[in-house]
Amino acid sequence: MIKFVSKPKTSSYDAVIVGGGHNGLVCAAYLAKAGKKVLVVEKRPLVGGAAVSEQIAPGFIFSTFSYVVSLFRPHIIRQLNLVKHGLQIIPMETTYNPIPGDKGLVRWADAGRTRHEIARFSQKDASLYSEFGLAMGRLSRFTKNIIDTTAPQPASLNPKELFKLLKMGKIFKNFDGNMRYLNVKLMTMSAIDFLQEWFESEPLLPSMAGSGIIGTFMGIRSPGTAYVLLHHYMGEIDGAYRAWGFSIGGTGQISLACAKSALSFGAEIITDAAVDHIDIKNGRARGIVLENGDDIKAGTVISCLDPNRTFLKMVGEHELSENFITQIKRYKNRGSSGKVNLALSRLPNFRDGRPGQHHLKGDITIAPTIDYVERAYDEAKYGEYSKRPFLNIVIPSLSDPSVAPPGKHVLSAFVQYAPYNIKEGADKWPDKREAFGNAVIDTIEEYCPDIRSCIIHKQIISPWDIEKMTGLTEGNIFQGELSLEQLAFLRPVAEWSRYRTPISKLWMCGSGTHPGGGLMGAPGELAAKTMLTEGGV
Amino acid sequence: MPIKSPFHQRTSQFCQSMNWKDWAGYYAVVSYDTNHEQEYFAYRHAAGLMDVTPLFKYEVTGPDSLHLLSRIMAKDINKVKQGQVTYCCWCDDDGKILDDGTVSCLSQDHYRVTSAEPVFHWFHQNARSLKVTIEDITSRFGILALQGPLSREILTHAAGGDIASLGFFKLIDSTIDNRRVTITRTGYTGDLGYEIWCENNDALVVYDAVMESGKNYQLIPAGLAALDVARIEAGFIMNGVDYFSANHCVINSRKSTPFELNLGWSVNLNRDSFIGQQALKKEKKEGSLWQFVGLEYDWDAYEKIFANFDLPPQTPAQAWRTAVPVYNKNGKQIGRATSGAWSPILKKNLALASIKTGNFTMGDTLHIEVTAEYERQLCPVTVCKPMFFNPDRKRD
Amino acid sequence: MPFDVVVIGGGVNALTAASYLAKAGRKVTIVCPTDQIGGLCSRHEFYPGFTSPGILYDTSMFRSWVVDELGLKDHGLTYAKSTKTLAFGKDQHIILSEHIDETAEEIAKVSSSDAKNYKEMKAFYGKISGPIIQFLNTIPADIVDPQSSDLWSLFKRGFQLRKLGKKDMLEVLRLAPMAVYDWLDEWFENDGLKAALALLAVTESYSGPWSPGTNANLLIQQVSRGSSVKGDGLALVSALEKAAKSFGAHFETKAKVSAIQPGKGVDLEDNSFIEAKTIVAACGPKNVFLEMMDARHLSNTFEQRVTKFRTRGLCSQLLLAVNKAPSLVGNGEANRILIAEDLDSIERAFDPIKYDEVTSHPCLEIYLPSQEHNDLAPTGQAVISVLIHYTPYSLKGGWTGEAREKLCDNVIETLDNKIPGIKQSIVGKELLTPQDIQERYDLSGGQLCEGEHALDQLLVRPTPECSQYKTPFDGLYLCSGGSFPGGGLTGAPGALAVKMVLRK
């Protein structure tokens, strides 16, 4: 374990990064690696932001918020030597959709076996499944190009930007007509409409579509949710078989590895140090002021916080134009999800008649029907948490025994939907939290009748709690909704999508910038690289 | 994990080598012995019994069955009479091959189709407004392939009905040990042989009866490794090895057409419309980009390559299926050999290859890459028709 | 006797296409499946003495250049001075019209800041409308299989957009994929106003105000709206019919096409055959390819794409025969009424159809045709057309008599709340569910736009092969609302398709 201090060694740095989320740490590591004197300032006692692991009950380590590694960029792992610093990701092999009183559907790494599973529900779907995967794999090359470079600027007349657009146009051009058509559909359609062009059966449809809505305030029928499906097929082009995995020791280990990497390059990290505001004079950032009054000077200040918090709390409206403030205020955060973390005395029984526990090692999705998931969304639209939510459950202790005492388990349920703005008002969440947790456990109980008798300890996290604990505005885990109008050259707002801000020497590097949320590390890396090439630091 | 075929109890009992593989989601024996040679010779000199249940099997029934199949298949299924089986391939709109397999006509409104890949959705998609039912019967039926020169004797002994006069690519309904079976005179070894369809529940009884009848004819269970050598000798293409289904090709250049695979004989262009017809007509007129050929290694040259290292010529122990480049005289790559094997009866080193049209004529000498003592060498090969072994008994 | 062109259909697009073709000297015949010309704006008696004006009525998006090019004003077309819409919200009403200042004044009665923002929003639409209108009035570029001319056209569009300036260009790109809910929320505070602006934009596709992408429809409507034709849809159809006839187009009514033979002609259900080298189909793409053509002629890819074209109907029509004209607030000037309390109430009306259920609190879009057309109802009496948002195509348990009655009751109740006394005046009624609409008007799924207006279906409409009105079959063209730029009484698909026909 590394111990962090809460006092910086000196009072002046090339760059000070506000917020020790994984993107801040990645950014720090890249800047330090380039020889800059960097300080990361984190308000909590531990680094990681929403990617942390905490021991909530003795011997049980919870990945409190972010629970799986999705698209952490492999080149970042290579360039920052993260494996040397303790990072180890094991792939999740299965996706399980339980159905009460049935064997449910398990999709395995083994194509033949998956086909047999799907054939129980539809012969047609079974025979199409691998073809769908191929088409998606092909299209994800397009997506990879988007997430691994700074956002293209369509309004720019800079030849470099035009060239980038041209390059993307070329990839598009190299697709055959069918692929291009598919791409148009994928970028605009709803997950369900898109999938229904291929498949017909439940629970395959809702379970696949579910991945299109995670963390967003949209339903599987909302247009624009289809493209997220691609993320599940990106693993292959990253050279890995599977895109999703667990970090050994919990998600926090990723943050720790990034932190250690940053330290190894000479960066400094302080914790338990809350930033009061960013010090700005004449439209230029000069440093930060901590809540304890300490003043730290910086050549460049980089905010890893979400745009709302960065500009409305850390910078202050008086420093910004009215137009910019309006844009930041209308930037949608809208937390839509919660977490229920359970410490279990034993593995719950799914009553599915399946032998062994292999099928429980990956993610377990509670999304039995399309209507089930859509109804969950309908409730949320009007300010209520879903009584029967869409759940994405993982039991990481099955893959990584170090996170629970022997024979015991940790279960983490990602819950959608839990709107931040419940109709009683967000600050009434503490009164609703217990009932919300019960709705989740009731839901799990329909599949594992013995779940309640297994629970040793539970942690219920509403979006309000996420905001309180991590500072993420409205508890949005992606630092802002991943809807089309808030992506790429529009993230977080038009004309400021290149990590710069209207304040000179203030930059952004969090998920609120391109390419957005998820445990990717890409915003942090791209921000650092942009700053280094454009003389930002 | 793969699932078990209805014959698994027997095949696992005989499979001493524990050499299995996953074939379309089923456990399949690669070779029963640690060496497949015995099994290969059984196919060629006596008879081998192989479990080919993993083939995808579909039943097409209803008044429009023929309509559907003639729309899908490149071959004119209208010509297939009751009691007949035919080998055919099918394509996408661009005339690129999707898969190949057999169609058996049980009656004018009842067909069975086998394929290497799942095609349920493809059949289904093309059945709009047709009165036809498509059913995946893969897991309902077991199939045994009884292949080899003595297979007729064995089957005559084991099964009822007039097996002796069952013609090449014909089928009959029969019984084996009182269990109903359908017997087709088909196979993938390029030799005399039969395939026996039975319901799952009858599988073990049928298996035992056939084995019992084969006792006096040196019938042994045989596996995929032996089959692979036999099919290369016969010049039979394999989906996923010698070509790729258009549905699974990420890039267009990887797709093939029937003409490019030497399957032009199985395409009937001038008839009612079928999928890919326009594109295939065009290709027929304009010529194909590739040609599918056989390659025979120049044995003396081959020997010499190894002799240079003071080694005896090393022939592959098993059929290989990792593509190797093929060059013309000037050292320019003009194609690839997709699979090959040492033929134990022909005493020849063989390969199946796709070569760009216009770079050769039959009988030409080309060069294939050979690795000897970790070094890449070129060995001369003669281009020939992709059919190295074709005994009369196959059709007689 | 062979024709040069046969136009299938009898609606606004069919008439527009036929007029253009006849004007260009082609020998044209229109084969209209019903006895009345007009398609979705054709009459039928639904109760003794009471005649329906059809379903579509709003002509404000009918292209003025089509009016000019076809000289429709010479055939009796005049524009209404003002078209007023009475929008009922919760405990309030606003009268909207195409006059911005007038409307702003109305809005000021409920919110002064909204009145100011309304003007600003209209000014913004005005500013950015140029490239968008141009885009909507040009044969779309083929983005799936682009030829160099398509690339050039795309480049031109991009350049025109860029000419708006960086800020506005980015704003257009931002607003298009948004949900109308969020967009209107950025501008306005009054719930009733937001609902009134949103209702017509969200009901063209399978979406509610919360659905991303709906803002593109609002944008398209806002920039393409102009003055309405006096007498609405019926008057437009009659002017078009006269124009077509004056150019020499031949009409054949009650002629249902049973099969299309591209390049040869069409077979009619009465077994007659009309010979024509060119066929222009102003009926939905699914009707054309899945019903009128032999499946064997369609390639697998194409057939799959046509099948996947989404045409889910979501709206029913209730026709009411009333024995006295309803008395409305606001001097009775408005001949159309919207009833939607707020955006959430529209969304809540949308929710149930996803589960094949129907709301008990529908949002209503009402048209009072009798003011212009006194022949639709006996003197002193009136016809009311109510479009009910939303209703599913297939209702769980079926559209039984009981289910229909219940829906009618809910609608009439809602109506009576806003227009007291209407309930007592009803003497007859007819309900057309999406299934009935499909049946009566030959509309796939009962979808009034002949295909949902979702982003992907606007960019490539209906399939890549047919996105430029051409089809994979020589001599067969499409020109219904199922082609770019979509459904509604715009005349654009008809006019643009003819450009493509004449290009060949």
Side-chain angles (χ1 to χ4, degrees), chain B residues 366-396:
Chain B
L366 300 175
H367 295 273
I368 194 165
E369 193 173 288
V370 168
T371 306
E373 198 56 14
Y374 318 112
E375 278 185 24
R376 288 174 179 185
Q377 311 281 332
L378 288 182
C379 176
V381 284
T382 310
V383 186
C384 60
K385 283 218 165 108
M387 184 186 269
F388 307 100
F389 181 72
N390 187 23
D392 291 342
R393 61 183 182 237
K394 180 172 95 177
R395 291 171 169 275
D396 287 348

Side-chain angles (χ1 to χ4, degrees), chain C residues 29-279:
Chain C
T29 182
I30 293 187
V31 290
C32 173
T34 48
D35 56 345
Q36 290 278 335
I37 295 287
L40 283 170
C41 332
S42 62
R43 300 162 186 245
H44 75 270
E45 191 176 65
F46 68 95
Y47 186 76
F50 293 84
T51 302
S52 154
I55 297 183
L56 298 185
Y57 56 91
D58 180 16
T59 54
S60 66
M61 289 197 283
F62 193 81
R63 306 295 194 248
S64 58
W65 52 270
V66 176
V67 172
D68 295 342
E69 287 173 8
L70 293 180
L72 293 183
K73 285 183 180 155
D74 302 336
H75 297 285
L77 184 141
T78 55
Y79 283 111
K81 272 201 206 74
S82 165
T83 309
K84 298 205 160 134
T85 304
L86 179 57
F88 283 106
K90 197 180 184 184
D91 309 321
Q92 70 169 52
H93 65 266
I94 308 170
I95 296 175
L96 305 163
S97 77
E98 62 267 48
H99 302 296
I100 296 169
D101 290 340
E102 223 175 276
T103 307
E105 264 172 51
E106 272 288 320
I107 295 172
K109 291 178 192 164
V110 293
S111 158
S112 55
S113 76
D114 281 2
K116 180 177 142 272
N117 287 343
Y118 182 77
K119 282 190 181 176
E120 260 180 45
M121 186 179 83
K122 282 291 188 180
F124 170 73
Y125 281 132
K127 196 162 58 159
I128 60 164
S129 63
I132 293 160
I133 289 175
Q134 207 145 40
F135 167 68
L136 292 172
N137 288 332
T138 322
I139 294 174
D142 182 350
I143 54 172
V144 170
D145 231 340
Q147 308 297 313
S148 50
S149 62
D150 294 312
L151 292 172
W152 173 239
S153 143
L154 279 175
F155 176 77
K156 268 199 308 204
R157 295 287 98 77
F159 184 69
Q160 280 159 350
L161 205 56
R162 182 64 187 80
K163 274 206 308 204
L164 292 174
K166 194 170 176 179
K167 191 163 160 260
D168 286 333
M169 174 189 180
L170 290 173
E171 186 67 358
V172 172
L173 292 176
R174 183 183 80 94
L175 78 85
M178 282 178 77
V180 280
Y181 188 101
D182 297 321
W183 172 250
L184 291 172
D185 223 28
E186 286 178 10
W187 289 91
F188 305 115
E189 57 179 24
N190 184 274
D191 287 335
L193 174 64
K194 286 192 267 188
L197 292 172
L199 184 61
L200 301 181
V202 296
T203 49
E204 292 177 336
S205 60
Y206 197 82
S207 55
W210 278 75
S211 304
T214 43
N215 206 31
N217 284 327
L218 180 68
L219 171 70
I220 291 172
Q221 290 185 355
Q222 289 286 338
V223 300
S224 27
R225 281 236 157 87
S227 297
S228 295
V229 172
K230 193 163 162 42
D232 303 311
L234 288 176
L236 173 67
V237 166
S238 116
L240 278 167
E241 188 183 351
K242 282 180 201 154
K245 283 187 173 152
S246 80
F247 295 127
H250 177 261
F251 281 73
E252 190 115 17
T253 53
K254 276 205 249 181
K256 275 195 101 147
V257 173
S258 58
I260 293 175
Q261 300 188 30
K264 295 191 189 119
V266 295
D267 293 307
L268 300 183
E269 269 179 7
D270 63 4
N271 288 329
S272 60
F273 177 73
I274 298 181
E275 196 181 335
K277 278 223 164 58
T278 305
I279 300 160

Side-chain angles (χ1 to χ4, degrees), chain B residues 322-371:
Chain B
T322 315
V324 290
V326 176
Y327 303 89
N328 67 7
K329 281 193 190 95
N330 309 324
K332 186 180 155 220
Q333 188 179 341
I334 53 167
R336 75 250 168 193
T338 45
S339 53
W342 165 254
S343 166
I345 56 169
L346 299 173
K347 306 295 174 202
K348 279 177 184 171
N349 213 357
L350 308 172
L352 297 173
S354 283
I355 313 285
K356 267 189 201 134
T357 308
N359 287 289
F360 70 97
T361 50
M362 286 295 162
D364 273 5
T365 300
L366 300 175
H367 295 273
I368 194 165
E369 193 173 288
V370 168
T371 306

Side-chain angles (χ1 to χ4, degrees), chain C residues 2 40 118 128 133 145 177 255 273 292 317 320 322 362 382 435 459 466:
Chain C
L40 283 170
Y118 182 77
I128 60 164
I133 289 175
D145 231 340
F273 177 73
M292 300 178 183
Q317 185 188 35
L320 295 174
V322 291
Q435 282 178 15
L459 291 169
C466 305

